[in-house]
């Protein structure tokens, strides 16, 4: 054991170590020169001794960078992420053979000497002087540990790493003083434990536990004699003795260590002969780091978790502090991801849209009442190889969380938000509006938040089909996605009130900014994200209470200390009565409206289709009392294909609609996610209806027959290039016309 300090000064041994270390060890051995002349030695000793006294007395051991593990809601591993592949373990969890092997080859007198091995220094000096170069070093394990601390503190900064490893007198003096301090403060076993956890073992592995897993796919406590010898031999030169890249060199080095273990009495000669004949016995495991290696096709969710950590003050006051903590690692992050829901979402999306298609699909599910994100999937794999149709762009979220810069227009899926704002203002669902196939609205009757006229002139709006002229109440208009009714409702409700409702429901632009109230917002001409839409509809299921989406449930560091993750914040966006009315209306969409072809037959469900201008974005957003899911399909690059006469997932579409492609994906994702979950019920409510006579029921029957024959779902967009997919050859819309089934 090292000599302990009895008073305020250095002990006799420490004084000797100081003198010999600064004048001989640092000046001769580490600097790589032969023993200098006596006069020069005296000068060096004088100058460096003064510097020795000026070095701070305490070496602060850095927290070691380790692996962070991300788990799903059931405890399964989604991914690991690390700046350095390391798992810190106590000495009791390291094989005794590993301890003996590293001491034997690196510092055989470790338990006999203090910070400096005086015999080792003199031996190295003699041999180096005879060779005229540095052929043997004399650094103790304690000194090597101190050097590793310097390297760890340098992190990934190449300049700092160079400073930490440069062969200069000043660095060696600093290393020596800290070694003396450590020998005072720590036991030999504590120093050895620190050394085995910090040192580099090649192949991007740090610490003996990670090295044991890398080379032998086992824990460090289970290492056998020859395996421990191999790892111990790597430390001196991880590149030269790398057994994966050069098996013969690794084998030779392992046998050198075994021979050394025999010479110090750890194994006998007979055992040495037997062990030297053994093959390396490598069982190499490939290290997996980062979201690109995530299981369950959850790379995008994994990256969302990382972004949530890096952007939330729960994990640090500043961006720099949070990034440093993430790089430090050693975290165990339990998330909200449901393995069952994630599989269902991914399978549903990829069953209808191929990774090589011109368009992509995104599916995201949220639990009403908790905000827990249960799934997040898309058809393009997570990765950086564009030639393999990979992407790191998360199509479900906004720019700050790794998603698109602008987001996507939600089309008619925004109409329920207008309806909620209208009902909150006191407008009855029974109020009716009559119009032709198209109509013009006075821009001056739209009011801004300052109660000023929005503009001048006329705002032309049209419906999808000619037969959509007539009289509509809220139930039938939302069910059939009647544009003219929605804009009339928006005009009566108010732009500001509707924008306020969107904000209360968490709907914002992908840039994170609040939506601006404009007349066309009633038809979904705003830009948002699938996660925002799923969360907004979850508020309807939760009887009007909106909960912010969360992905992280629990975080602990490597010592078991818990970091408090961000909690969902639930606020009332509308009255329970309003939410019940919206639920009743959107149930109608699934029963006899545009979503009837994809309704869930075994449980209550509600939803809405959506299609945007020129069919660049198509949507289905729907929910049950237990789950809300948004499905989006569209172009995910700089070009946004118009989905006419297009093959997607091997199926040809004359034109893609909300119920024709996103709808079936939604139904499959919901069915898989809710398998085994008891069906819930919405709060029963009777939606007030307007008096429309018998024609409404006749129209419903006609629409059902049309859908049964594979016809249009009535929720498609009219186009501004003269094409009318439901009526080829008829120019639509006229110049300057704004509107359509979902625009």
């Amino acid at each position: 054991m090292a000599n302990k300090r009895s008073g305020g000064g250095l002990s006799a041994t420490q004084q000797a170590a100081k003198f010999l270390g600064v004048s001989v060890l640092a000046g001769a051995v580490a600097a790589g020169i032969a023993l200098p002349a006596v006069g020069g030695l005296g000068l060096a000793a004088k100058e460096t001794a003064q510097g020795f006294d000026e070095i701070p007395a305490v070496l602060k051991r850095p927290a070691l960078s380790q692996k962070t593990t991300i788990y799903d809601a059931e405890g399964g591993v989604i991914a690991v992420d690390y700046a350095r592949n390391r798992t810190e373990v106590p000495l009791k969890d390291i094989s005794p053979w590993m301890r003996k092997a590293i001491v034997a080859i690196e510092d055989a007198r470790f338990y006999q000497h203090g910070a400096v091995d005086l015999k080792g220094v003199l031996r190295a000096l003699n041999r180096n002087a005879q060779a005229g170069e540095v052929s043997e070093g004399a650094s103790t394990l304690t000194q090597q540990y101190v050097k590793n601390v310097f390297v760890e503190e340098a992190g990934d900064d190449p300049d700092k790493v160079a400073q930490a490893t440069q062969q200069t007198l000043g660095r060696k003096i600093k290393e020596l003083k800290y070694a003396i301090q450590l020998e005072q403060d720590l036991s030999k076993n504590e120093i050895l434990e620190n050394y085995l956890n910090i040192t580099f073992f090649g192949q991007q592995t740090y610490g003996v536990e990670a090295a044991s897993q890398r080379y032998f796919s086992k824990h460090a406590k289970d290492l056998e004699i020859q395996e421990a010898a191999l790892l111990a031999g790597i430390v001196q030169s991880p590149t030269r003795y790398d057994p994966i890249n050069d098996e013969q060199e690794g084998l030779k080095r392992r046998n050198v260590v075994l021979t050394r273990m025999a010479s110090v009495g750890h194994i006998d000669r007979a055992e040495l002969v037997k062990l030297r004949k053994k093959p390396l016995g490598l069982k190499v495991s490939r290290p997996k780091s980062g979201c690109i290696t995530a299981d369950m096709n959850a790379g995008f969710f994994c990256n969302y978790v990382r972004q949530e950590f890096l952007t939330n003050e729960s994990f640090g006051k500043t961006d720099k502090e949070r990034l440093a903590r993430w790089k430090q690692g050693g975290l165990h992050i339990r998330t909200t991801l449901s393995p069952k829901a994630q599989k269902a979402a991914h399978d549903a999306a990829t069953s209808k849209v191929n990774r090589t298609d011109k368009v992509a699909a995104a599916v995201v599910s949220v639990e009403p009442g908790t905000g827990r994100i249960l799934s997040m999937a898309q058809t393009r794999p997570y990765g950086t190889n564009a030639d393999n149709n990979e992407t790191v762009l998360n199509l479900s979220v906004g720019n700050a969380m790794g998603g698109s810069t602008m987001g996507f227009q939600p089309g008619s899926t925004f109409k329920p938000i207008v309806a909620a704002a209208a009902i909150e203002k006191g407008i009855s669902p029974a109020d009716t509006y009559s119009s032709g196939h198209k109509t013009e609205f006075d821009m001056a009757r739209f009011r801004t938040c300052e109660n000023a006229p929005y503009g001048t002139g006329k705002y032309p709006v049209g419906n999808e089909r000619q037969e959509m002229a007539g009289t509509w109440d809220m139930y039938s208009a939302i069910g059939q996605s009647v544009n003219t009714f929605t804009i009339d409702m928006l005009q009566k409700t108010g732009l500001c009130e509707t924008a306020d409702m969107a904000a209360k429901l968490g709907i914002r632009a992908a840039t994170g900014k609040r939506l601006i109230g404009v007349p066309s917002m009633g038809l979904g001409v705003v830009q948002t994200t699938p996660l925002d839409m799923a969360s907004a509809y979850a508020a309807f299921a939760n009887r009007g209470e909106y909960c912010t989406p969360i992905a992280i449930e629990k975080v602990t560091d490597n010592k078991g200390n818990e970091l408090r993750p961000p909690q969902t914040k639930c606020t009332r966006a509308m009255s329970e009565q309003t939410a019940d009315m919206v639920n009743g209306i959107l149930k109608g969409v699934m029963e006899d409206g545009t979503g009837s072809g994809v309704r869930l037959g075994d449980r209550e469900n509600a939803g809405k289709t959506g299609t945007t201008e020129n069919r660049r974005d198509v949507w289905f957003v729907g929910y049950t009392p237990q789950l809300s899911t948004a499905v989006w399909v569209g172009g995910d690059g700089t070009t946004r294909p118009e989905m006419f006469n297009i093959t997607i997932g091997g199926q040809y579409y004359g034109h893609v609609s909300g119920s024709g492609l996103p709808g079936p994906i939604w139904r499959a994702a919901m069915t898989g996610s809710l398998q085994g979950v008891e069906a819930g019920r919405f709060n029963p409510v009777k939606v007030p209806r307007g008096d429309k006579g018998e024609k409404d029921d006749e129209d419903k029957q006609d629409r059902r027959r049309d859908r049964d024959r594979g016809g249009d779902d009535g929720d498609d967009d009219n186009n501004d290039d003269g094409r009318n997919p439901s009526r080829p050859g008829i120019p639509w819309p006229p110049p300057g016309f704004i509107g359509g089934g979902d625009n």
Side-chain angles (χ1 to χ4, degrees):
M1 296 291 290
N3 292 334
K4 299 294 182 180
R5 199 185 313 185
S6 58
L10 296 175
S11 67
T13 302
Q14 292 159 359
Q15 289 282 6
K18 170 183 170 180
F19 173 77
L20 185 60
V22 296
S23 61
V24 181
L25 175 65
V29 180
I33 58 175
L35 189 65
V38 176
L41 174 61
L43 180 60
K46 178 180 179 181
E47 292 176 349
T48 54
Q50 182 178 354
F52 185 95
D53 291 331
E54 293 172 355
I55 298 172
V58 179
L59 173 69
K60 293 183 179 179
R61 177 183 179 272
L64 300 183
S65 176
Q66 299 185 69
K67 294 190 296 185
T68 284
T69 306
I70 302 172
Y71 304 90
D72 62 36
E74 297 179 1
V77 175
I78 297 174
V80 295
D81 187 89
Y82 52 79
R84 295 191 174 180
N85 182 14
R86 176 190 283 123
T87 301
E88 197 170 358
V89 291
L91 195 63
K92 67 180 181 63
D93 288 336
I94 300 173
S95 166
W97 291 116
M98 185 67 219
R99 304 178 220 167
K100 292 176 181 179
I102 198 72
V103 170
I105 195 64
E106 290 295 322
D107 188 359
R109 289 173 26 82
F110 174 64
Y111 285 97
Q112 284 75 51
H113 62 66
V116 178
D117 182 5
L118 304 185
K119 289 184 179 179
V121 169
L122 295 174
R123 181 183 67 250
L125 267 174
N126 181 50
R127 292 182 180 176
N128 293 343
Q130 291 176 356
E133 60 180 2
V134 178
S135 61
E136 181 176 329
S139 290
T140 63
L141 274 181
T142 307
Q143 289 174 278
Q144 291 181 45
Y145 168 67
V146 172
K147 182 177 72 173
N148 280 321
V149 168
F150 295 158
V151 173
E152 186 75 17
E153 288 176 334
D156 297 325
D157 188 320
D159 293 333
K160 290 182 178 180
V161 171
Q163 292 175 11
T165 57
Q166 61 186 343
Q167 293 293 331
T168 63
L169 182 60
R171 186 189 67 79
K172 294 301 292 185
I173 296 301
K174 190 175 182 181
E175 176 186 295
L176 178 61
K177 179 162 186 177
Y178 286 137
I180 293 173
Q181 173 234 319
L182 285 176
E183 290 278 352
Q184 288 182 274
D185 296 340
L186 301 178
S187 70
K188 286 290 188 178
N189 281 343
E190 287 172 331
I191 293 172
L192 181 60
E193 176 184 303
N194 289 345
Y195 176 84
L196 286 171
N197 277 302
I198 199 173
T199 199
F200 181 51
F201 284 86
Q203 289 289 327
Q204 298 181 316
T205 57
Y206 293 80
V208 67
E209 175 67 18
S212 183
Q213 294 286 357
R214 176 72 171 112
Y215 296 106
F216 298 110
S217 299
K218 62 169 60 175
H219 292 295
K221 66 181 179 180
D222 299 323
L223 288 169
E224 298 179 21
I225 302 175
Q226 73 279 4
E227 295 168 338
L230 176 68
L231 297 187
I234 292 173
V235 170
Q236 186 182 90
S237 180
T239 302
R240 177 181 175 184
Y241 300 130
D242 183 347
I244 295 176
N245 292 327
D246 192 334
E247 185 173 339
Q248 287 304 311
E249 195 68 27
L251 184 64
K252 286 166 55 179
R253 179 61 177 169
R254 183 205 69 177
N255 290 343
V256 168
V257 177
L258 288 171
T259 301
R260 182 62 177 160
M261 292 176 73
S263 69
V264 296
H266 293 321
I267 55 177
D268 59 35
R269 288 293 169 181
E271 196 169 17
L272 172 63
V273 172
K274 183 172 65 174
L275 290 171
R276 286 172 60 93
K277 293 179 180 179
K278 282 181 175 274
L280 285 182
L282 296 177
K283 188 178 179 182
V284 178
S285 63
R286 182 181 178 184
K288 296 171 62 177
S289 176
C291 294
I292 199 168
T293 66
D295 290 335
M296 298 185 295
N297 299 290
F300 298 99
F301 178 80
C302 170
N303 191 59
Y304 182 88
V305 169
R306 181 179 185 274
Q307 289 301 112
E308 185 168 301
F309 187 98
L310 295 177
T311 57
N312 197 287
E313 291 187 1
S314 297
F315 304 112
K317 293 182 179 179
T318 65
D319 291 344
K320 184 177 180 180
E321 184 178 336
R322 292 188 291 271
L323 181 59
R325 176 168 259 172
W326 182 270
K327 286 186 174 182
Q328 188 64 50
L331 304 172
H332 298 272
I333 303 176
R334 193 181 71 200
T335 71
T336 60
L337 191 76
S338 161
K340 180 173 66 173
Q342 178 66 17
K343 183 180 187 304
H346 180 264
D347 289 351
T350 54
S351 69
K352 294 292 184 180
V353 182
N354 296 334
R355 66 193 294 174
T356 56
D357 288 336
K358 293 180 180 179
V359 297
V363 183
V364 60
S365 296
V366 174
E367 186 176 63
T370 67
R372 298 169 71 245
I373 301 172
L374 302 187
S375 70
M376 186 177 285
Q378 61 192 60
T379 51
R380 302 221 198 277
Y382 185 87
T384 57
N385 186 353
D387 293 336
N388 197 31
N389 299 105
E390 296 175 350
T391 182
V392 294
L393 186 70
N394 189 338
L395 301 172
S396 294
V397 302
N399 185 251
M401 302 301 288
S404 64
T405 302
M406 300 304 295
F408 311 105
Q409 293 184 2
S412 288
T413 60
F414 194 83
K415 289 175 180 175
I417 285 81
V418 184
I423 297 171
E424 280 288 281
K425 192 170 183 178
I427 296 173
S428 172
D431 289 356
T432 59
Y433 174 74
S434 300
S435 73
H437 170 43
K438 57 182 181 291
T439 191
E440 293 182 333
F441 292 88
D442 187 350
M443 295 285 279
R445 295 186 62 185
F446 293 98
R447 314 298 289 186
T448 67
C449 291
E450 291 74 31
N451 200 33
Y454 178 79
T456 60
K458 300 296 183 181
Y459 174 36
V461 178
N463 296 318
E464 171 63 22
R465 299 189 304 266
Q466 294 280 358
E467 60 267 29
M468 293 177 83
T471 300
W472 306 88
D473 62 12
M474 196 179 294
Y475 182 96
S476 59
I478 297 294
Q480 301 307 318
S481 209
V482 180
N483 291 339
T484 53
F485 179 92
T486 305
I487 295 304
D488 176 73
M489 179 170 59
L490 173 65
Q491 194 175 70
K492 293 173 180 175
T493 303
L495 299 176
C496 196
E497 290 84 347
T498 304
D500 284 344
M501 178 57 69
K504 290 176 182 178
L505 290 171
I507 299 176
R508 57 201 182 280
T511 58
K513 295 182 179 179
R514 174 189 168 96
L515 299 183
I516 300 173
V518 296
S520 59
M521 78 184 313
L523 305 180
V525 186
V526 294
Q527 290 174 312
T528 186
T529 67
L531 178 58
D532 280 357
M533 294 304 295
S535 299
Y537 275 47
F540 296 142
N542 196 36
R543 300 196 72 196
E545 192 172 54
Y546 168 77
C547 298
T548 55
I550 58 168
I552 299 175
E553 286 198 310
K554 184 178 181 181
V555 180
T556 56
D557 63 20
N558 63 315
K559 296 181 179 179
N561 300 315
E562 188 168 342
L563 308 179
R564 183 173 174 80
Q567 304 294 304
T568 187
K569 296 178 181 178
C570 297
T571 55
R572 182 147 298 282
M574 66 195 78
S575 69
E576 291 183 346
Q577 293 77 12
T578 294
D580 291 342
M581 288 291 180
V582 174
N583 291 337
I585 291 169
L586 296 186
K587 279 178 62 181
V589 173
M590 306 302 287
E591 291 167 359
D592 51 39
T594 59
S596 61
V598 296
R599 66 182 180 273
L600 304 177
D602 61 341
R603 60 185 70 234
E604 284 196 349
N605 56 115
K608 185 72 185 76
T609 52
T611 310
T612 66
E613 187 176 8
N614 295 331
R615 302 178 191 272
R616 288 191 171 94
D617 303 287
V618 287
W619 293 74
F620 196 96
V621 187
Y623 56 98
T624 67
Q626 300 103 329
L627 188 66
S628 175
T629 298
V631 179
W632 165 90
V633 177
D636 61 343
T638 55
T639 59
R640 305 291 304 284
E642 298 177 4
M643 285 181 275
F644 297 101
N645 302 315
I646 187 172
T647 298
I648 301 174
Q651 179 177 339
Y652 174 80
Y653 295 85
H655 57 274
V656 180
S657 64
S659 63
L661 181 55
I665 293 174
W666 176 86
R667 179 173 56 188
M670 291 289 284
T671 300
S673 299
L674 294 170
Q675 187 174 5
V677 177
E678 184 178 351
R681 296 186 63 83
F682 297 118
N683 191 56
V685 63
K686 185 174 182 179
V687 180
R689 299 297 309 273
D691 183 11
K692 297 175 53 188
E694 297 179 355
K695 185 177 185 303
D696 184 36
D697 292 333
E698 294 173 0
D699 288 344
K700 288 179 183 178
Q701 294 174 10
D702 291 341
R703 286 191 293 270
R704 288 194 191 100
R705 283 194 296 269
D706 187 43
R707 283 192 295 273
D708 291 341
R709 292 192 299 266
D712 207 306
D713 65 6
D715 192 50
D716 300 324
D717 173 50
N718 298 317
N719 310 284
D720 62 2
D721 60 354
R723 287 179 296 176
N724 184 350
S726 61
R727 285 170 177 73
I730 301 176
W732 180 257
F737 193 89
I738 301 176
D742 294 300
N743 184 18

